[in-house]
Amino acid sequence: MQQFQSLQRLLTFYAMTLLVMLGLYYFNMFYGIKKHGEQHSVDTFYLLQHKVTSGDELLNRDIKEILDNPAFKDTSYQLIFITPSGQTYIHRHARPGEPAFATVTFPTITPSSANSGSYSAHTLNNNNVTGTIKLKSGHQIYLILRHEPFAIDWISYHYWLPLMIAIIFLITALLYILSRQNSWNQLLAYSDNLSGHAKDAYTPPPFSPKKSATEFLRLGHALSRVSYQLHSDYHRIRTLTHRLERLVEQAPLPMLMIMRHGQISFFNQRFEQLFDSSSQQDESYELTDFFAGKDEFTQLLLQTLSNLRITRTLTVYSLENQQIYQLHITPWFGEHGQVHNFTVILNNINEFTTQIAQLQQQNQKLQQKLDELATLRSLVGYQLRVPLETMIDTLEPINPKTLSYKQHDILKTLIKSSQSMLTTLNDTLDIGEVEVRKARLSSEPVDIYKLSRGVNDLILDDIRQQGLELIYFFAPDCPRCIDTDAVRLRQILLNLLNNASKFTILGYIALTIDRVTHEQITQINSDYLLPTNKNMRVSQSSHWVRFSIKDTGGGIAIDKQNQLRTDVHQSNRQTHSKMAQNIDATGIGLNNANSFAQLLGGFIELQSTIGNGSTFNLYLPCRHPNYQPVYHRSQHLTHIHLIAVVNQALVAKHLQHLCEYLSISTTIYTSVDLATVQQLASQLVQVEQTLAPVLLLDYEYYDAVTFALSSPLLSKNGDLSHSEMKELKPENQVFTNHERQQALDKLLAHSSLPKILFSIKPERRIPSVLLDKYDGFLTKPLDANLLLSELLRLTLPARKKLIQTASFRNNGRHLAKEANKLASEAPSPLVLVVEDSPTNQKITCKILSKLGYRSVIAEDGHQALDKLQEQRQDISLILMDCRMPVMDGLQATQAIRAQGDAIPIVALTANNTSEDREACMLVGMDEFLSKPINKEALEAVLQRLIKPS
């Protein structure tokens, strides 16, 4: 019983309960007996009072007759009867076994009431009742009545039956406890048997359903199931451990496990065999104790492994046997994104490296032969270029005005063909540093806005794959078209952008196009690339265009900047065969870019600081500028208040510049907290009567704040406990991020505030829970025209309400007309043109524009699916070419219909046959048009298939 403390406590409690109940029973019974004796004495007193007051004349014999009444025979009393004459009579009686009354006592009792001189009163105590009766006739009676003695008749069942029942209940409880003890003994023995003997199969507990309680049966089954599951898990873990040991320990490659701070925590047998590590089990060693990097960067990375966040493959040298190894290191991340440790796999590539060295020697010999051939090629190229230059020099002086139209057309064709041949010859011979006149370039009006966006599209995918952000901005006051060579300008921008992406790991790459004056050009520091070309005359154009390529890489040291300028300058004076050897690794094709910039009449400026990135500025003169508006002003934009939360200060600067140009009220933040949100709420209350607010939020900023909160300091639900909040100070980074998260949540909870999310990620990769909180989505780089379209669309209801309110207040017809104009301001339907031919694209978009429709272009089926995914809410119809590379129109239509999208799709094909029409209808197209497109037929189809919104 000692080991079953709970059963012992239960039995004790049960016994104490019975004792308390039994005591209460006997107490109530004895108390009732006592009260009965007292009440009997009081009743006897009142009986005597009634008897003596009922007669007319009271005599002593009357008192005797009253006392002879049976009610007084079993009562002990002393009665003193006093007549009016003073004669006194004493009557006494005592029960058998009681002492007689020894003295005569006259009780003094104050009457409770008096009626015409007669009264009676009595007093009750624990032993007797004393009373006085006075009559009208003058008779007085003094009475003492003893209570009935307290006698217990133990033979009566009232006394012994409760005790017997309590004993029976106690015995029953004891038997029940013993039965439970037996069941617990069986269960403990069964659990000991389970822990001592592992089971390969499930067996039920050996309990009899009739003799054991239900809870013991269920508990036994539960223990058996748990034991079976634990055994299964143990067996599986042991199997996996055995496999892992055989895979790791007997692996042919050396394997290591390194802790977060660089100490080696485990290595396999192969590593021990190669590097004799048997004596190092109890010592702390790092990776640099065994290996050294092939260069300074690799060595630094080996010494600072705690900063590594991605899998890297490095080439290292063994300090013991001088063998070359390829080291694959992979970080292991914890639940909250922190690095726990690293796994390392080594692969001996010494033989392979030796072969590479031999091949490099062979390549050097071949390179010498190639240099000789390059010299010969340069000579041949020169001999070919001289006739072409002579031809150009002969044709250019001819005045076109002296020629007929046909002759002028022939002259133009000859000049263009000869220039094209010269450009092709230079490109074929890889002559990037040609010293020819500006006339050798194909100078024509170039839309630098369209060209720069095309360059962005070329490198956008590569930059996104690196996890970088591309920022693009075209200044509103910058000319859109200038006379220059589009091919060379595109090559310069691509070289500079590719160079920036190669040396940028985190952050962004920005391309900004703006206008600078000639005075600013003269004030620019002379530290631009190739400053020693004194023969180059800087154009005296009043305005220049600056193409600024900025990155957030590590920057270039001053000595390397000087070396870079020297190398590029020297490369311009050397032959092309030696040029490639003088290009620093910091600038990929930088000499070509600089040469092309000078050919275009401009130059390149380099600005760089260690830790702050680099900026390459390309300056070109504005020859025959054309200031076509890129961003169109609208009076409706003045009614909009843009609230932007962006991740980069440069984006905030560009956005502020654009909004000032378009007269859009703005509030732009690069970080928000609760105080900012409160201030913003107060500002919104002030401007809500005149402006329609809209929120633009940078997803990368939201993601950075959310990721920073993934810390062990946070509770499981992502929030801080009350005690932890008290411990945090405002300057604590976790506290700041938590406050930023609360501020963002308050902004997103503002139901009446339209919201736009923009990100480097596509819309399908944004969590749907977050995306549902927004009314619009834009991808980076931020397209200003798309942003303006979204601002007008999302603020349309609010601006209607503002103008209607203003019209009601002013009671003016002019504002009512403005409201009607605003009602019809909704953008025209957007048509997705899926066409691979640039000519057909232009023709189709031009027809759609004349018909009053907007258009967006996709060059194949894959691009069409991406465009549809990004702008599904805006696209109303698809014009689908049937014959395209990558994915044709039929396959694209099948994919769209498989997604359950019922958007109207119109087939465009040059083969107007019944078979083609039937094939288009079978895949789910709605209409069929043949090329060339008929304007009237297209208009009828669009009006029929596009439903008015």
Side-chain angles (χ1 to χ4, degrees):
M1 196 67 180
Q2 187 66 25
Q3 59 180 339
F4 300 102
Q5 297 292 332
S6 60
L7 297 179
Q8 185 177 2
R9 287 193 295 268
L10 180 61
L11 181 61
T12 303
F13 175 76
Y14 190 75
M16 293 298 296
T17 303
L18 288 177
L19 288 176
V20 170
M21 293 177 64
L22 193 63
L24 290 175
Y25 172 79
Y26 281 113
F27 174 79
N28 289 333
M29 186 178 65
F30 295 152
Y31 183 75
I33 294 173
K34 178 182 177 183
K35 287 295 181 180
H36 179 268
E38 292 177 352
Q39 187 63 37
H40 181 267
S41 299
V42 173
D43 292 341
T44 304
F45 174 79
Y46 283 117
L47 178 62
L48 178 64
Q49 178 184 354
H50 174 70
K51 293 290 186 178
V52 298
T53 57
S54 61
D56 295 334
E57 186 72 24
L58 186 63
L59 300 175
N60 187 40
R61 63 174 177 269
D62 296 328
I63 296 300
K64 289 183 178 181
E65 291 178 358
I66 293 173
L67 294 177
D68 291 337
N69 191 296
F72 293 94
K73 288 185 177 181
D74 294 328
T75 303
S76 298
Y77 58 86
Q78 175 181 280
L79 188 147
I80 303 173
F81 176 62
I82 302 174
T83 62
S85 60
Q87 190 174 359
T88 301
Y89 302 94
I90 298 176
H91 302 275
R92 295 177 177 174
H93 178 265
R95 296 186 189 93
E98 288 186 0
F101 291 91
T103 60
V104 177
T105 304
F106 292 90
T108 58
I109 300 174
T110 303
S112 59
S113 62
N115 186 9
S116 302
S118 64
Y119 66 89
S120 65
H122 71 276
T123 301
L124 178 67
N125 55 33
N126 290 331
N127 297 320
N128 51 42
V129 173
T130 59
T132 302
I133 301 174
K134 291 186 178 182
L135 302 178
K136 296 178 182 181
S137 58
H139 295 81
Q140 297 181 11
I141 299 176
Y142 296 94
L143 181 64
I144 298 176
L145 293 174
R146 289 179 180 174
H147 299 325
E148 291 183 352
F150 192 79
I152 299 177
D153 187 7
W154 292 105
I155 301 176
S156 176
Y157 71 92
H158 295 93
Y159 300 99
W160 58 264
L161 182 58
L163 182 60
M164 296 302 296
I165 293 174
I167 294 174
I168 292 173
F169 281 167
L170 183 61
I171 294 173
T172 303
L174 182 61
L175 293 176
Y176 175 77
I177 294 298
L178 293 176
S179 175
R180 300 284 289 189
Q181 179 183 356
N182 185 33
S183 298
W184 278 112
N185 283 326
Q186 292 181 5
L187 185 62
L188 290 175
Y190 175 67
S191 61
D192 291 339
N193 185 46
L194 287 178
S195 61
H197 301 83
K199 296 184 179 179
D200 294 329
Y202 172 77
T203 56
F207 293 138
S208 174
K210 296 182 179 180
K211 296 182 179 180
S212 299
T214 305
E215 57 269 23
F216 286 98
L217 291 174
R218 294 177 63 182
L219 187 58
H221 284 291
L223 287 174
S224 185
R225 287 193 297 269
V226 170
S227 176
Y228 174 70
Q229 186 63 40
L230 288 176
H231 172 69
S232 300
D233 293 342
Y234 171 75
H235 181 71
R236 181 171 176 272
I237 293 173
R238 188 172 58 182
T239 302
L240 293 176
T241 304
H242 178 69
R243 293 175 182 174
L244 184 62
E245 289 177 354
R246 293 185 64 85
L247 284 173
V248 174
E249 291 296 338
Q250 299 183 13
L253 297 178
M255 296 183 181
L256 298 173
M257 184 170 290
I258 302 176
M259 291 187 295
R260 179 179 180 182
H261 299 291
Q263 291 84 6
I264 297 176
S265 60
F266 170 78
F267 51 82
N268 64 352
Q269 294 181 0
R270 184 60 178 168
F271 183 86
E272 184 177 351
Q273 294 171 359
L274 292 177
F275 303 101
D276 192 19
S277 305
S278 58
S279 61
Q280 301 171 3
Q281 293 286 351
D282 298 333
E283 300 182 15
S284 176
Y285 282 86
E286 297 184 358
L287 196 60
T288 52
D289 296 329
F290 298 94
F291 302 99
K294 70 172 184 177
D295 51 29
E296 181 180 352
F297 175 77
T298 305
Q299 184 66 24
L300 180 63
L301 186 61
L302 293 177
Q303 295 174 352
T304 58
L305 289 179
S306 58
N307 298 327
L308 187 64
R309 292 294 183 273
I310 59 175
T311 301
R312 298 295 296 266
T313 301
L314 308 174
T315 302
V316 297
Y317 295 91
S318 171
L319 298 177
E320 182 175 350
N321 52 23
Q322 300 301 317
Q323 296 286 314
I324 303 176
Y325 288 86
Q326 193 176 52
L327 184 145
H328 302 270
I329 182 167
T330 303
W332 280 15
F333 294 95
E335 180 180 357
H336 300 289
Q338 70 276 17
V339 175
H340 279 184
N341 48 30
F342 303 89
T343 57
V344 177
I345 300 178
L346 296 165
N347 188 15
N348 192 325
I349 58 171
N350 190 71
E351 183 178 354
F352 179 70
T353 306
T354 304
Q355 294 177 359
I356 291 178
Q358 295 175 356
L359 292 175
Q360 287 178 347
Q361 293 178 358
Q362 296 177 6
N363 285 339
Q364 290 179 357
K365 296 178 181 179
L366 293 175
Q367 187 63 41
Q368 294 177 357
K369 296 180 179 180
L370 290 176
D371 292 340
E372 296 175 359
L373 291 176
T375 304
L376 179 62
R377 184 180 63 178
S378 299
L379 179 61
V380 173
Y382 174 77
Q383 293 177 353
L384 291 176
R385 284 171 49 224
V386 169
L388 285 175
E389 291 179 2
T390 303
M391 183 184 302
I392 295 173
D393 292 338
T394 303
L395 295 174
E396 283 182 347
I398 299 176
N399 188 0
K401 297 181 180 179
T402 62
L403 303 177
S404 63
Y405 176 78
K406 186 175 181 180
Q407 291 174 341
H408 178 263
D409 188 43
I410 293 173
L411 177 63
K412 183 178 179 180
T413 303
L414 288 174
I415 294 176
K416 186 175 181 180
S417 300
S418 59
Q419 290 178 346
S420 177
M421 290 175 62
L422 183 60
T423 301
T424 304
L425 178 62
N426 291 336
D427 292 339
T428 303
L429 298 177
D430 198 15
I431 304 176
E433 307 296 330
V434 291
E435 295 181 0
V436 293
R437 300 193 312 271
K438 297 176 185 178
R440 297 295 180 262
L441 297 174
S442 178
S443 181
E444 58 185 3
V446 177
D447 188 342
I448 58 176
Y449 173 72
K450 184 177 181 180
L451 183 142
S452 58
R453 289 187 63 85
V455 172
N456 276 349
D457 294 338
L458 290 175
I459 67 168
L460 182 58
D461 291 338
D462 294 337
I463 290 180
R464 284 179 177 174
Q465 289 178 1
Q466 294 178 244
L468 302 176
E469 179 178 344
L470 179 61
I471 300 175
Y472 172 79
F473 181 69
F474 192 91
D477 59 346
C478 183
R480 180 165 180 171
C481 297
I482 61 174
D483 285 355
T484 186
D485 191 321
V487 177
R488 300 307 180 193
L489 177 57
R490 184 180 294 106
Q491 289 177 344
I492 294 173
L493 296 180
L494 281 175
N495 281 343
L496 295 179
L497 287 171
N498 287 328
N499 183 71
S501 65
K502 178 176 176 61
F503 297 99
T504 304
I505 300 177
L506 296 174
Y508 64 85
I509 297 173
L511 172 59
T512 305
I513 301 101
D514 58 354
R515 185 183 63 170
V516 295
T517 63
H518 182 74
E519 289 75 12
Q520 291 174 308
I521 292 294
T522 59
Q523 294 176 2
I524 292 177
N525 194 318
S526 61
D527 290 339
Y528 55 84
L529 296 182
L530 200 59
T532 57
N533 190 352
K534 300 180 179 179
N535 297 326
M536 185 191 74
R537 296 180 61 187
V538 177
S539 173
Q540 297 298 320
S541 175
S542 59
H543 289 94
W544 290 63
V545 176
R546 174 170 56 192
F547 299 83
S548 179
I549 293 88
K550 178 178 175 58
D551 62 69
T552 55
I556 306 174
I558 298 297
D559 55 344
K560 290 188 177 181
Q561 292 184 38
N562 297 331
Q563 181 65 32
L564 176 62
R565 296 187 182 96
T566 302
D567 291 342
V568 175
H569 169 61
Q570 290 176 356
S571 66
N572 289 323
R573 295 189 174 185
Q574 295 172 350
T575 61
H576 179 68
S577 60
K578 298 181 180 180
M579 185 190 314
Q581 301 175 6
N582 293 323
I583 301 176
D584 191 87
T586 311
I588 301 175
L590 200 55
N591 56 342
N592 290 340
N594 185 71
S595 298
F596 290 155
Q598 293 191 6
L599 282 174
L600 297 177
F603 60 93
I604 296 177
E605 177 192 18
L606 169 61
Q607 298 174 351
S608 183
T609 306
I610 293 294
N612 293 328
S614 304
T615 302
F616 288 87
N617 294 321
L618 167 64
Y619 293 91
L620 294 181
C622 293
R623 299 190 182 96
H624 306 99
N626 186 353
Y627 289 88
Q628 297 180 10
V630 177
Y631 315 110
H632 300 280
R633 288 187 173 96
S634 173
Q635 61 179 351
H636 305 295
L637 295 175
T638 59
H639 299 292
I640 297 175
H641 181 75
L642 176 62
I643 305 166
V645 181
V646 297
N647 197 30
Q648 304 293 349
L650 184 60
V651 177
K653 176 183 176 182
H654 291 165
L655 197 58
Q656 184 70 37
H657 189 185
L658 175 65
C659 292
E660 289 177 355
Y661 172 78
L662 298 173
S663 301
I664 300 176
S665 174
T666 57
T667 303
I668 303 177
Y669 304 102
T670 56
S671 179
V672 293
D673 52 22
L674 292 178
T676 304
V677 173
Q678 293 176 358
Q679 180 182 0
L680 181 60
S682 302
Q683 183 180 358
L684 288 177
V685 172
Q686 297 175 1
V687 303
E688 65 181 356
Q689 302 298 328
T690 56
L691 297 175
V694 62
L695 172 66
L696 178 68
L697 178 63
D698 192 332
Y699 173 75
E700 275 62 45
Y701 175 79
Y702 178 88
D703 191 46
V705 172
T706 305
F707 180 78
L709 285 176
S710 300
S711 169
L713 186 60
L714 301 180
S715 56
K716 294 182 178 179
N717 60 359
D719 202 357
L720 289 173
S721 63
H722 181 69
S723 60
E724 291 168 338
M725 284 291 291
K726 288 183 176 180
E727 295 177 1
L728 293 179
K729 299 180 180 179
E731 62 270 16
N732 188 288
Q733 186 65 28
V734 177
F735 181 90
T736 304
N737 288 323
H738 186 269
E739 188 179 11
R740 291 174 181 171
Q741 181 67 44
Q742 288 182 331
L744 289 175
D745 292 341
K746 286 192 174 183
L747 276 179
L748 296 180
H750 204 302
S751 58
S752 61
L753 181 64
K755 307 170 188 65
I756 304 174
L757 184 69
F758 72 110
S759 171
I760 60 175
K761 296 182 179 180
E763 187 175 2
R764 62 179 178 273
R765 293 183 59 188
I766 303 297
S768 59
V769 177
L770 176 64
L771 202 58
D772 291 341
K773 300 178 181 179
Y774 292 86
D775 306 289
F777 180 82
L778 297 173
T779 56
K780 296 180 181 179
L782 190 62
D783 190 327
N785 289 317
L786 287 179
L787 173 62
L788 297 178
S789 177
E790 285 292 282
L791 293 179
L792 291 173
R793 180 180 68 86
L794 295 177
T795 59
L796 181 59
R799 288 184 287 117
K800 277 185 181 180
K801 184 177 180 181
L802 288 175
I803 292 181
Q804 290 173 357
T805 303
S807 177
F808 177 77
R809 289 178 179 175
N810 300 327
N811 195 17
R813 296 181 179 180
H814 178 70
L815 292 178
K817 291 181 180 179
E818 290 294 329
N820 293 332
K821 288 182 180 180
L822 191 60
S824 60
E825 183 197 324
S828 58
L830 180 65
V831 177
L832 174 60
V833 179
V834 188
E835 175 65 62
D836 61 326
S837 172
T839 303
N840 291 339
Q841 291 175 3
K842 295 179 181 178
I843 294 174
T844 306
C845 293
K846 189 173 182 180
I847 295 175
L848 289 172
S849 178
K850 290 182 178 180
L851 294 176
Y853 296 91
R854 297 179 298 144
S855 59
V856 62
I857 296 174
E859 296 183 355
D860 54 61
H862 275 306
Q863 289 189 13
L865 294 177
D866 293 338
K867 293 284 185 182
L868 188 63
Q869 179 74 17
E870 295 174 0
Q871 306 181 38
R872 179 59 187 92
Q873 295 180 352
D874 299 331
I875 297 176
S876 302
L877 183 139
I878 302 176
L879 293 178
M880 183 77 73
D881 186 16
C882 294
R883 303 289 185 265
M884 292 181 297
V886 183
M887 176 186 286
D888 59 28
L890 301 180
Q891 295 173 344
T893 303
Q894 287 178 337
I896 294 173
R897 296 305 187 218
Q899 296 173 0
D901 196 342
I903 187 172
I905 303 177
V906 179
L908 297 179
T909 178
N911 300 325
N912 189 6
T913 62
S914 58
E915 291 81 4
D916 290 339
R917 181 183 294 272
E918 183 179 356
C920 293
M921 296 305 174
L922 285 176
V923 296
M925 293 187 179
D926 300 276
E927 192 50 81
F928 183 91
L929 292 177
S930 60
K931 299 178 183 178
I933 301 175
N934 183 274
K935 180 179 178 182
E936 289 74 15
L938 177 61
E939 182 178 11
V941 169
L942 294 178
Q943 291 178 355
R944 179 168 57 86
L945 295 181
I946 296 180
K947 299 178 181 180
S949 56

